[in-house]
Amino acid sequence: MMQVTRLPLGVYQTNCYIIYEESSKTCCVLDPGGEAKKVLEFMEIRGLTLDAVLLTHGHFDHVGAVKDLHEATGCKVYLCTEDCTMPAKWTAGELFYTDAYGEGDELNLAGLTIKVMHTPGHTPG
């Protein structure tokens, strides 16, 4: 059964989502805010392994924990590269990612298939 847990993280209490199939124990993290420690603690308590981080967009309050999670787990980090055109003041510097996604892509992460729907407006990507 698929589990979805919301963790409000960082100064702005940005919604981070941890998604996993109970039977597989690998997870995908969406928008890890700025508190890698809380995400890692959640995963440890539940015995989860991080497969990938998926960024819905590149604003600073959504990407703050990306590098720390990548360094701690070696996970892939997915981002729509169109967000790389945003000014650094909106992203807190250079955006970190290992893989890109675009309209219509199907990502197989943590045993789940995620279909990408490009919805620009809030950011370019």
Side-chain angles (χ1 to χ4, degrees):
M1 179 198 281
M2 183 172 69
Q3 299 293 315
V4 179
T5 301
R6 180 181 62 90
L7 297 176
L9 300 175
V11 176
Y12 293 101
Q13 294 291 281
T14 300
N15 288 325
C16 167
Y17 295 94
I18 301 174
I19 303 170
Y20 60 99
E21 283 286 342
E22 281 184 309
S23 60
S24 75
K25 292 298 185 180
T26 59
C27 67
C28 177
V29 172
L30 276 69
D31 296 336
E35 297 181 77
K37 183 178 177 181
K38 286 187 179 180
V39 174
L40 292 168
E41 286 172 354
F42 177 91
M43 291 182 340
E44 184 177 347
I45 289 168
R46 284 161 183 79
L48 297 172
T49 301
L50 182 57
D51 183 34
V53 171
L54 180 59
L55 299 171
T56 61
H57 65 287
H59 280 152
F60 66 92
D61 59 324
H62 289 252
V63 303
V66 169
K67 283 185 183 177
D68 290 340
L69 289 173
H70 175 74
E71 288 174 7
T73 67
C75 70
K76 291 185 176 188
V77 178
Y78 289 84
L79 173 72
C80 178
T81 56
E82 291 176 40
D83 274 5
C84 293
T85 63
M86 290 191 301
K89 67 181 179 182
W90 294 352
T91 64
E94 185 176 341
L95 290 172
F96 176 84
Y97 64 98
T98 62
D99 294 85
Y101 66 76
E103 171 63 30
D105 288 350
E106 286 193 3
L107 307 176
N108 294 303
L109 309 173
L112 304 166
T113 300
I114 299 170
K115 184 161 179 152
V116 175
M117 295 177 5
H118 190 227
T119 55
H122 184 65
T123 67

